[in-house]
Amino acid sequence: MGKKQVRTQMRRIQPKGAASNAQGATRRQRERFVQAGGMLQGYAPDQVVRWGYIAVGIAALCVLIIAAYLLLLPPIYGWPDAVAAAVAWIFPIALLASFVGPGFRLALKDRKAEPRIVQGQLVGASSVSTSMGLGMLMVQTRGGSEQFLVPPARLKQVPGNQVNVVLTVTPNLHHVKSVGVMGQRMVGRVEPPVPPVMRRLQLIPVLTPVTLAAAAVIGDDAVALSPIPNSAIHAALAVLTGAILAAGVYGLSYLFQRRWMAEVQALVPKT
């Protein structure tokens, strides 16, 4: 009887440990993704720096709008409503900082750092990936299989047979500056047609933050600038409306992403 109780307790405890390990692995993957530049991983450092300056300009415009709201709205609607209207414009700044900030810092480092050389056997290549404007290259190195995001123009010389390739890669953003092929190019690489679902998946990382920010700002400010008598209720309704719209956009984006990812996995041949 005692042995049965021990076995039962072990069976009950093990799933909890597995869930904890899975959550820890997912957290580590997110941390590595952000440390490698997040959504800007694989892009050229100079291009990422330009995007960073554009993001700084947009953030400065948002700060000016916040200041204008705090100066102009209190005499008309009161301070609670003015603060509620201004708070919505902090959301675009936070999104820009979280999406562009990590890649921008790494791009500044890559502009001064020496690229590293990666050599290995070609495993596969594709001119399309989940990142807009980038293809994908898989290389078997001594340390294992590595995957790189590559501009499609640099994949034109990559053949279909297994040859050795030499990549010049920036150390932080992992931008592939050059691709060299060693050996005979016996088989031409045939590019299969790109499924429409892949094009839609590429838009998700770009459209989601833009739509989130637009929904929060439009919902919040539309209510904040409406003639509602009670100042405290007016401000609460404005913030609540913006939060509900942003949450709705995020939920729809999450559902569409899961659905399209399932479609992509269904296209992968089963071995």
Side-chain angles (χ1 to χ4, degrees):
M1 187 69 180
K3 293 181 179 180
K4 290 182 180 180
Q5 290 178 349
V6 172
R7 293 193 189 100
T8 303
Q9 290 177 355
M10 291 178 64
R11 284 196 295 268
R12 289 176 181 173
I13 292 172
Q14 285 173 355
K16 294 182 180 179
S20 176
N21 292 336
Q23 292 174 359
T26 303
R27 191 182 304 110
R28 287 192 296 271
Q29 287 176 355
R30 286 197 299 265
E31 291 174 355
R32 286 196 295 266
F33 178 73
V34 172
Q35 290 172 358
M39 292 195 317
L40 300 182
Q41 181 180 356
Y43 291 98
D46 291 337
Q47 187 177 26
V48 174
V49 169
R50 286 195 296 271
W51 291 341
Y53 290 145
I54 293 173
V56 171
I58 296 173
L61 178 61
C62 293
V63 171
L64 291 177
I65 294 174
I66 292 173
Y69 275 6
L70 294 178
L71 288 174
L72 300 176
L73 292 185
I76 303 173
Y77 296 102
W79 274 104
D81 194 55
V83 172
V87 162
W89 290 92
I90 298 177
F91 195 51
I93 299 175
L95 284 176
L96 286 171
S98 61
F99 282 94
V100 181
F104 182 74
R105 289 193 297 270
L106 295 180
L108 292 177
K109 295 180 180 179
D110 276 345
R111 295 177 77 179
K112 301 178 182 179
E114 288 292 329
R116 65 187 181 98
I117 305 298
V118 177
Q119 182 175 350
Q121 188 178 48
L122 175 67
V123 177
S126 174
S127 61
V128 67
S129 69
T130 54
S131 296
M132 188 178 298
L134 294 177
M136 188 170 55
L137 189 69
M138 292 190 66
V139 180
Q140 183 67 37
T141 64
R142 293 181 179 179
S145 181
E146 294 190 42
Q147 181 175 304
F148 298 93
L149 295 171
V150 186
R154 296 196 175 97
L155 294 175
K156 293 180 179 179
Q157 61 180 341
V158 176
N161 56 307
Q162 291 186 344
V163 294
N164 288 330
V165 293
V166 179
L167 312 180
T168 306
V169 185
T170 60
N172 297 295
L173 277 179
H174 302 152
H175 168 66
V176 178
K177 302 181 68 173
S178 65
V179 179
V181 179
M182 304 170 60
Q184 297 182 353
R185 307 174 188 180
M186 299 174 60
V187 182
R189 185 168 56 86
V190 179
E191 281 288 347
V194 179
V197 67
M198 287 297 298
R199 301 295 185 190
R200 294 195 293 269
L201 269 177
Q202 289 178 337
L203 294 175
I204 283 287
V206 179
L207 288 181
T208 298
V210 173
T211 313
L212 271 174
V217 169
I218 293 173
D220 186 293
D221 286 4
V223 177
L225 300 177
S226 301
I228 299 175
N230 190 299
S231 181
I233 295 177
H234 194 177
L237 285 176
V239 174
L240 183 62
T241 302
I244 290 174
L245 288 178
V249 169
Y250 179 80
L252 287 175
S253 173
Y254 178 75
L255 291 176
F256 279 123
Q257 186 174 13
R258 287 194 60 181
R259 178 181 175 183
W260 293 340
M261 283 299 297
E263 292 182 18
V264 170
Q265 291 175 356
L267 296 174
V268 178
K270 295 180 174 59
T271 56

